[in-house]
Amino acid sequence: MFLFIGVFPRERQLATLRFICEYCRMPAPQRVIEVGSRLWLFFIPTFTFSRRYVVVCSNCGGATELTAEQARQPEGWAAASRLPG
Ligand SMILES: [Zn+2]
């Protein structure tokens, strides 16, 4: 019996926020991304594991790690550096 199994990286965008980047100091869209590994069995995706969360600047590519709670509610921590209006 053959068992087709594989693990592939998976990225999922959770939100996009606009605030001043801490790396390039430019007001640019910041993407909140979930990065994980997905197990495939017989060409069917089963589940995702090893999840981590990052916010990536669309201007400079600077990335900062987030906790799962920060990724789920990005408005809270982003409010401090958000642009007015
Ligand atoms: Zn930046």
Side-chain angles (χ1 to χ4, degrees):
M1 181 179 162
F2 293 101
L3 180 64
F4 294 104
I5 188 169
V7 176
F8 298 96
R10 176 173 186 253
E11 275 192 10
R12 188 166 64 115
Q13 185 166 327
L14 302 177
T16 303
L17 304 165
R18 188 173 173 86
F19 59 86
I20 297 172
C21 172
E22 68 182 55
Y23 297 104
C24 64
R25 297 290 172 202
M26 296 294 290
Q30 310 288 316
R31 298 184 313 133
V32 178
I33 300 172
E34 177 190 83
V35 181
S37 299
R38 179 164 271 193
L39 179 71
W40 289 68
L41 270 177
F42 295 104
F43 309 106
I44 299 169
T46 55
F47 65 91
T48 304
F49 60 97
S50 298
R51 285 188 172 97
R52 62 190 184 89
Y53 302 90
V54 291
V55 58
V56 180
C57 175
S58 64
N59 185 48
C60 70
T64 304
E65 291 268 346
L66 300 174
T67 65
E69 188 173 333
Q70 286 174 322
R72 276 189 228 109
Q73 298 182 335
E75 293 81 13
W77 56 265
S81 50
R82 179 167 292 182
L83 298 172

